[in-house]
Amino acid sequence: MLYIQPYGVSDPNAPYINGNPATGTQGSIPPAASIEYPQREIVNLISDGGLVPDNADLRQLGQGVQGGKLNYALDAGTANAYQVTLTPAPTALRAGLVVRMKVGNAPTGPSVLNVNALGAKPMKKRGNKDIQSGDFAAGDVIELVYDGTVFFLIGADSVTMLGASLDYYVATTGSDTLNDGRTASTPFATIQHAINVAQTFNLNGYSVTIHVANGVYIGQTVAPPMNGSGSINILGNEATPSGCQLTCSTGTTFILYGSGYLVAGFQISNTGTTAGTGDPGNCLWSHGNNGAVTVRNMQWGSAVAAQVAATDGGTLGITGNHIISGGASWFAWVQINSLIICDPVNRPTVNVINPVSYSGPFINANCLGVWANQLGTITGYGNVSGKKYDAELNAIIATGGAGVNHFPGTVAGTTGSGGQYG
């Protein structure tokens, strides 16, 4: 509504003046619109606010504003594509527009909001992050504010608390930029990207399972500490691990800094040297996580250093059936207050399917590292050449009395500097 100046005055911003009979000053003449239009604006606001205009109540304007109905609407869209209709209808989207929406469908990923058919705009949360599954649920009332480009979800943390377990999919034919990874037909291209997406959630006691299709995946994968308690399961082909291969030419192929991970059903090899100081090039390395990482039903290819390693406070559990198809410096390397533990109930089996050579001991324990429990059945025992074991600097290799020939190799194992074997 425009300002309506006094009748007969050309200046659109001219003020109204009072008449004064004593001085012969004529007062301003109010046009009818100057009285009618403000009343209609007020009545419309009261009506749009859900009230019935009534002269018996002279606080209805405040009640109409207070009720909040002008910015509230029911979602009429679909999951990830939300639609609302506000009354009165905004003629354009302006920075500062507030929308309070009762959600019809929970989101499953990045989402947009279309207000009064003015065009879908991205919805974001703290840190300019995309909406994710679990950010809100069907039936929730959420508040969004338009900043001129996107609608920001008020009160949403940048890390989503999971309310249920999630599944993601990875395939060599996938895309980390075009796909959402939520189905086998829309997979990510890399395990690393799937892990990065999982890191955006607080697991809240739930699990994220990453299903990896057969293929060859090249490059290093790094698994950092996860947010909250829960687990991240990275599953390849447990029946035929060679169908799902991970390999890296620079540094360790799969390095895990966080606990709660399960890695199962992969053939892992390492063909490079070092990625930097302190990375000798392992197949899989549980490093400094102060918690448990588990490997199950794996095939271990060649490695510059160890095929399995736990150092600097890392813990690595071994279970299931394992194949060895390549040589390395060591099969297992454990040091510095770290633990590699074999499943004591269902001892992991090992099948050495071809002749392999280790330049160091099959089991290398040093600097307070601990190997615990026996391996299960070792098939192809005679295919391994190299030293059986070495325990140095107060490290312990505890086999529960399996004997000095428990581990394969052509050279007897040794202990020294406080190291123990038994």
Side-chain angles (χ1 to χ4, degrees):
M1 186 187 77
L2 293 172
Y3 173 76
I4 300 175
Q5 72 269 33
Y7 181 80
V9 179
S10 60
D11 182 358
N13 293 311
Y16 282 77
I17 61 174
N18 293 322
N20 187 344
T23 60
T25 302
Q26 184 176 351
S28 298
I29 301 174
S34 67
I35 299 172
E36 179 183 357
Y37 288 2
Q39 288 191 64
R40 293 200 180 279
E41 283 273 353
I42 293 171
V43 168
N44 286 337
L45 190 153
I46 292 170
S47 298
D48 291 341
L51 302 173
V52 177
D54 187 347
N55 286 334
D57 186 351
L58 299 183
R59 290 187 175 272
Q60 287 189 300
L61 177 60
Q63 293 169 24
V65 173
Q66 187 180 61
K69 189 175 180 181
L70 304 181
N71 298 93
Y72 176 81
L74 302 179
D75 167 34
T78 59
N80 308 334
Y82 299 95
Q83 298 178 19
V84 295
T85 300
L86 299 180
T87 303
T91 57
L93 297 178
R94 298 179 178 84
L97 174 65
V98 174
V99 176
R100 298 182 185 95
M101 176 177 71
K102 186 168 185 178
V103 178
N105 297 279
T108 61
S111 300
V112 297
L113 174 63
N114 194 341
V115 177
N116 289 76
L118 292 173
K121 300 296 181 182
M123 296 167 62
K124 299 285 186 177
K125 57 185 178 179
R126 285 181 61 188
N128 202 39
K129 295 183 180 296
D130 287 334
I131 300 299
Q132 295 172 307
S133 175
D135 277 333
F136 49 86
D140 285 353
V141 175
I142 62 174
E143 183 174 67
L144 304 110
V145 177
Y146 187 62
D147 75 342
T149 304
V150 303
F151 279 98
F152 275 98
L153 178 61
I154 302 302
D157 201 341
S158 58
V159 177
T160 300
M161 300 285 287
L162 281 188
S165 295
L166 290 178
D167 291 271
Y168 285 98
Y169 295 83
V170 174
T172 56
T173 56
S175 172
D176 290 342
T177 56
L178 300 178
N179 292 345
D180 63 8
R182 293 304 309 280
T183 69
S185 60
T186 58
F188 294 136
T190 63
I191 299 171
Q192 186 65 68
H193 186 70
I195 291 173
N196 293 345
V197 171
Q199 288 297 311
T200 65
F201 298 104
N202 183 314
L203 297 183
N204 194 30
Y206 295 96
S207 65
V208 172
T209 299
I210 300 169
H211 305 271
V212 184
N214 281 353
V216 178
Y217 299 84
I218 300 172
Q220 186 177 65
T221 299
V222 178
M226 60 189 67
N227 290 316
S229 62
S231 63
I232 296 180
N233 309 311
I234 305 168
L235 308 180
N237 187 336
E238 295 197 61
T240 309
S242 61
C244 200
Q245 299 183 26
L246 311 181
T247 186
C248 180
S249 61
T250 307
T252 291
T253 302
F254 205 138
I255 183 167
L256 300 105
Y257 292 101
S259 64
Y261 286 92
L262 167 66
V263 182
F266 295 95
Q267 177 183 320
I268 303 183
S269 60
N270 178 271
T271 60
T273 54
T274 63
T277 303
D279 185 348
N282 306 296
C283 286
L284 184 141
W285 187 8
S286 174
H287 180 61
N289 57 62
N290 295 310
V293 170
T294 302
V295 292
R296 183 180 71 203
N297 300 337
M298 303 285 286
Q299 180 166 332
W300 305 103
S302 61
V304 176
Q307 288 161 323
V308 295
T311 70
D312 303 280
T315 298
L316 180 65
I318 304 177
T319 189
N321 303 310
H322 294 259
I323 298 169
I324 294 177
S325 56
S329 295
W330 323 289
F331 169 70
W333 172 40
V334 57
Q335 71 163 13
I336 310 177
N337 297 314
S338 297
L339 172 66
I340 295 179
I341 182 170
C342 296
D343 185 338
V345 177
N346 300 302
R347 294 174 180 168
T349 66
V350 175
N351 183 9
V352 187
I353 60 175
N354 47 258
V356 296
S357 177
Y358 291 91
S359 60
F362 188 78
I363 306 296
N364 180 19
N366 57 68
C367 299
L368 299 173
V370 175
W371 169 283
N373 301 329
Q374 302 174 24
L375 291 168
T377 302
I378 303 175
T379 304
Y381 186 96
N383 281 335
V384 178
S385 61
K387 193 175 183 180
K388 293 177 182 294
Y389 64 84
D390 188 19
E392 296 282 344
L393 300 173
N394 299 313
I396 298 172
I397 299 176
T399 66
V404 295
N405 292 316
H406 174 62
F407 297 109
T410 53
V411 179
T414 58
T415 61
S417 301
Q420 301 178 56
Y421 180 97

